[in-house]
Amino acid sequence: MQGSSAKGVLHSLLRIMAGLAFLEHGTGKLLHFPAGLPFIDQLPAGLLYFTGTIELVGGLLITIGLFTRPVAFVLSGFMAFAYFMAHFPRSFFPAINGGEAALLYCFIFLFLAAAGPGPWAVDKD
């Protein structure tokens, strides 16, 4: 692979892998697969179903590359909110407060909102 083609492939792979990993949070919360998500029993039912739905639907749309820019923008804000509400109060440092994943998702989704889905997507830019 040369220059721009490798860039496009890696861009799409980043989107697909981030979408699949995010989707897994939604399936864990709503479908109990994979079972054993940490702290799931501490979430109120309404919040569990809301966040699970956002993660399931958003993760699926990001994975296939459909409505990538608006979905990624919403998910970036969702992850920023999750970080500051659930992780930041525990500590300033992500390695201590357990917020590395939320922080990375936030910025990966922000990148996808700006850059689009890449060449391997249902909606190509």
Side-chain angles (χ1 to χ4, degrees):
M1 287 187 270
Q2 295 281 329
S4 64
S5 65
K7 179 180 172 184
V9 168
L10 291 173
H11 181 145
S12 293
L13 286 174
L14 175 67
R15 187 198 81 247
I16 292 165
M17 294 311 298
L20 287 173
F22 200 67
L23 174 71
E24 183 180 17
H25 289 276
T27 60
K29 288 177 182 168
L30 298 178
L31 307 173
H32 306 289
F33 180 81
L37 290 181
F39 309 112
I40 196 169
D41 56 338
Q42 296 174 5
L43 288 173
L47 187 59
L48 178 72
Y49 294 123
F50 174 74
T51 59
T53 301
I54 294 289
E55 292 163 351
L56 182 73
V57 173
L60 178 63
L61 290 172
I62 291 293
T63 300
I64 65 173
L66 183 61
F67 308 119
T68 302
R69 288 179 190 267
V71 170
F73 183 76
V74 169
L75 293 180
S76 178
F78 177 70
M79 286 289 91
F81 183 78
Y83 179 80
F84 284 108
M85 294 302 295
H87 300 283
F88 188 76
R90 291 190 231 157
S91 172
F92 176 80
F93 301 102
I96 294 171
N97 68 27
E100 298 105 325
L103 197 61
L104 287 171
Y105 279 128
C106 177
F107 283 95
I108 289 170
F109 291 142
L110 188 60
F111 167 76
L112 292 173
W120 296 350
V122 173
D123 284 346
K124 296 178 186 154
D125 283 336

